[in-house]
Amino acid sequence: MTGRQRERRYRRTGAAVVAAVVVAGVGLGAGGCTGGDAVAGDARGGDAVVVLHRAADRLAEAGSSKARTSMEMATGGTRVTIRGAGVYDYRKRMGRLKVLLPQDPAGVTERRPITELLTPGALFMKNRGAGVPPDKWVRVDTRTLSDGNLVTGGATDPFAAAEVLRGTRSATFVGRTEVAGTGVRHYRGTADLAAAAKKASDGNKASLSAAAKGFATAEVPFDVYLDDEGRIRKVRHRFSFVGGQKSPVAVASTTLLYDFGASVRVRLPDTDDIYAGEIAEE
């Protein structure tokens, strides 16, 4: 099999895997300086839109962190939640998450956590099931996904979540509060995915552009909580995703960031460790 044939196979099987995460797998079925004047002004509310445009840059300056994710999906009266946890390097745009799918509706089958490696333009998944050998990875080209992998991986890439805020159109300062014992400033607003894609890093431009075209609407309501250094501690996006369903799926994606500076080691799988076979229907 040539390299080009293998890549086409990866895209085809990857798309099937990712679709299964949302539909069958979960049972839905039917620049600035830190601490400067910008942050000081932000403590009083500041220019919310300008502050949020810079939130992703503050994460890059922090270097890395641990992350917890939660994705709630609702359609046709059915609601499920997918949870994840791991680490992320904001400078290399790479991370590792363990994603736990809900039990099947009967509650009989215990689902093993899916290991996900997040990289610019690609998602690697292990322990996916669906006929994939447990020692093999599936590679998904996230630039070809209609949601840019903001939804269908079961967790939103933490840096992509931050870069959505680069498209903030309107925002208000709600007030001060706490997240996990840390004092934060709460903002509420709406971002535009097409605008975010234009301002995003090279690794996220294509993915966010695909999401702007693939979601039911390019407008994304959000709530975000920034610490006194302008870093995101918590962000919650609300997406409306079609993804082949008869009606849009309401998705609330929450990302919690903590322990900045945490050690992050992500080793990508060798070519021989990537599955090139067909994905079974679930």
Side-chain angles (χ1 to χ4, degrees):
M1 180 182 293
T2 67
R4 181 169 297 180
Q5 290 173 325
R6 184 178 294 110
E7 178 64 19
R8 285 200 296 267
R9 177 68 63 82
Y10 291 164
R11 290 184 180 182
R12 184 166 61 253
T13 58
V17 168
V18 171
V21 170
V22 171
V23 184
V26 300
L28 285 177
C33 58
T34 302
D37 292 341
V39 175
D42 182 28
R44 298 184 298 274
D47 187 333
V49 172
V50 172
V51 169
L52 297 179
H53 282 175
R54 298 171 178 170
D57 296 329
R58 300 289 87 82
L59 291 183
E61 291 170 3
S64 64
S65 78
K66 293 182 179 179
R68 291 190 179 276
T69 66
S70 174
M71 187 167 288
E72 303 169 7
M73 304 182 187
T75 183
T78 301
R79 183 181 299 273
V80 297
T81 301
I82 304 172
R83 301 187 186 281
V87 292
Y88 198 93
D89 186 321
Y90 302 104
R91 292 171 182 163
K92 296 181 179 179
R93 314 294 197 256
M94 299 177 69
R96 183 181 67 253
L97 295 176
K98 289 280 189 180
V99 176
L100 183 62
L101 300 179
Q103 289 184 322
D104 61 29
V108 176
T109 303
E110 181 179 353
R111 298 183 182 274
R112 298 180 61 188
I114 298 174
T115 299
E116 296 189 355
L117 304 181
L118 309 171
T119 69
L123 167 68
F124 296 86
M125 308 171 74
K126 192 175 184 180
N127 290 336
R128 173 60 192 93
V132 180
D135 62 335
K136 293 292 185 180
W137 295 84
V138 172
R139 181 187 185 279
V140 181
D141 186 342
T142 56
R143 296 167 298 185
T144 67
L145 299 177
S146 61
D147 74 308
N149 197 37
L150 292 174
V151 172
T152 53
T156 301
D157 179 303
F159 195 70
E163 293 217 282
V164 168
L165 300 179
R166 293 192 191 277
T168 299
R169 293 295 196 189
S170 61
T172 58
F173 174 65
V174 179
R176 292 194 65 91
T177 184
E178 288 189 356
V179 170
T182 298
V184 294
R185 294 175 301 286
H186 177 194
Y187 295 88
R188 179 172 295 137
T190 301
D192 181 87
L193 290 171
K198 294 178 181 179
K199 301 176 182 178
S201 61
D202 291 341
N204 283 327
K205 282 184 181 295
S207 297
L208 290 178
S209 181
K213 299 174 183 177
F215 278 117
T217 173
E219 293 186 351
V220 179
F222 64 82
D223 282 85
V224 63
Y225 303 80
L226 307 183
D227 63 19
D228 289 339
E229 295 183 54
R231 303 173 302 193
I232 296 172
R233 290 292 180 146
K234 179 180 178 181
V235 59
R236 181 178 177 87
H237 298 98
R238 290 174 290 283
F239 303 114
S240 182
F241 179 61
V242 180
Q245 303 294 298
K246 293 182 179 179
S247 58
V249 178
V251 180
S253 175
T254 302
T255 304
L256 183 69
L257 305 178
Y258 62 103
D259 198 2
F260 288 97
S263 176
V264 179
R265 295 183 180 179
V266 178
R267 180 182 180 275
L268 299 183
D270 296 329
T271 301
D272 292 342
D273 294 326
I274 299 176
Y275 183 66
E278 297 295 332
I279 305 298
E281 296 290 337
E282 289 195 336

